[in-house]
Amino acid sequence: MSFIQHDDRPDIFGESTPTEAVAEGEFGFQQPRHRVFPPIVIVAVTNVCDMACIHCAHPVIKKDRDYKATFMTPQTHSRIVEQTKPYRDQLWVFRYAADGESLLNPHFLDMVEETKAAGIGPVDLTTNAMSLTDEKMRRLLEAPVDIIDVSLDAYSKETYEKIRIRGKFEVVTSNLKRLVAMRDEIGAPTKIMTSIIQQKESLGEVAAFQQFWGEIVDEVLVRGLNTDLGIVNASETYFDDQIVRWPCPQFWKRVTINQHGEVRFCVEDWRNTGIVGNVEETTLAEIWQSSLYDEFRELHATGRWGDMTMCRGCQDWQHMRWDHGFEKAVARVLGTEAP
């Protein structure tokens, strides 16, 4: 049964294209219960950010004619929590990330506390840490957020300021160290990670970054540079045209919800082209179980991703490996069994 109304069907289907070869491997739901509800839920509580990083789509999107700075309302967030709570025991991660800096939403700390009070987890906050204050740190740690992932992307001040425009290196690194210290002071169970993206400006600092921060935080992540569906120039990522493409794992693993409560199938879809529903009108479970999602999965499983205009020219799939997702880092840092 389809729960998606005709008006909710995204205009992303083009003319049929030749079927492509599909990489060898097992692609599908890792567990039967994942057919009912996605194991990864990504929530963007705002499309506002206080930085303009060179690897991010946000500075480009912000110049779009129809861009409007908005924040998720507490009511919409409560809908997401209500719809996720029945499936809380099967989540790999409930992640605050995507289109903006979560901490800038004036209701964000209340939202985190609501999610944790509902028993949902593990909860991850991915943040640039610029707006962290002692009060915000304490409330996050006392909630407690399970993981705080600080995107830092450079070892030195000089490199940081080339990459994270409008970011203040001393403020962010001081906040990160203070967060670790406060976590230890109050004995919170929160795990703290930091990450660096492999891009030409920082390639010479990756090893130093790993060594330095590896002695301070619980986990250091090294990420690939994505194009965000062609918005970002990521030529130095060296996508390999010889690799046989695999189905995109997003259709079997995760959904992204934007600040309006709209559900999209692609986390890289900054312009919200592939909206498949809204939590104010349809539940996440109904959207995930819909015939539209089944159509997406069938097209990718059979090498017909070209029939979807958003997927046709995508290169970012190469950084979305089935055996190496964010859920692996979550399990590793929490000391739980890896998905």
Side-chain angles (χ1 to χ4, degrees), residues 63 108 110 113 154 197 296:
K63 296 177 183 177
F108 179 64
D110 295 330
E113 290 167 349
I197 291 176
F296 293 154

Side-chain angles (χ1 to χ4, degrees), residues 13-32:
F13 295 97
E15 296 181 1
S16 295
T17 59
T19 300
E20 298 181 33
V22 179
E24 294 184 1
E26 295 184 8
F27 309 113
F29 295 107
Q30 187 157 328
Q31 299 175 8

Side-chain angles (χ1 to χ4, degrees), residues 132-299:
L132 273 178
T133 62
D134 275 16
E135 179 185 0
K136 290 179 180 178
M137 292 182 199
R138 186 169 296 277
R139 286 186 66 180
L140 289 170
L141 293 169
E142 290 180 347
V145 172
D146 298 277
I147 302 170
I148 299 176
D149 173 17
V150 175
S151 300
L152 191 50
D153 294 317
Y155 171 69
S156 68
K157 172 182 171 66
E158 179 183 10
T159 301
Y160 180 88
E161 293 178 348
K162 289 179 181 177
I163 295 172
R164 293 198 152 258
I165 309 302
R166 294 205 301 266
K168 297 180 180 179
F169 182 75
E170 293 87 354
V171 171
V172 172
T173 53
S174 176
N175 284 346
L176 178 50
K177 292 175 183 177
R178 174 61 178 146
L179 179 65
V180 174
M182 185 181 291
R183 186 271 310 268
D184 295 343
E185 287 170 10
I186 68 178
T190 303
K191 299 297 183 181
I192 299 171
M193 307 193 298
T194 189
S195 64
I196 184 170
I197 291 176
Q198 294 190 86
Q199 52 192 313
K200 61 184 179 183
E201 289 79 7
S202 63
L203 283 180
E205 296 191 356
V206 173
F209 183 92
Q210 290 177 295
Q211 181 175 355
F212 179 81
W213 289 106
E215 297 179 359
I216 298 174
V217 301
D218 300 297
E219 183 82 10
V220 176
L221 302 180
V222 179
R223 293 187 165 107
L225 177 60
N226 284 336
T227 72
D228 294 335
L229 298 181
I231 297 174
V232 177
N233 179 13
S235 58
E236 67 268 24
T237 305
Y238 302 113
F239 291 108
D240 188 349
D241 293 335
Q242 303 304 312
I243 297 178
V244 179
R245 187 168 176 170
W246 51 79
C248 181
Q250 294 190 80
F251 297 113
W252 288 267
K253 287 186 177 184
R254 67 186 181 192
V255 295
T256 301
I257 309 167
N258 70 16
Q259 72 275 10
H260 302 294
E262 296 170 327
V263 180
R264 66 189 195 219
F265 63 81
C266 180
V267 71
E268 310 289 348
D269 182 19
W270 285 74
R271 290 196 166 105
N272 296 300
T273 303
I275 298 298
V276 295
N278 192 306
V279 298
E280 299 289 355
E281 303 165 356
T282 315
T283 69
L284 282 171
E286 289 172 336
I287 293 170
W288 186 250
Q289 297 170 36
S290 69
S291 60
L292 179 59
Y293 250 97
D294 284 341
E295 184 176 356
F296 293 154
R297 294 174 186 126
E298 175 67 15
L299 288 173

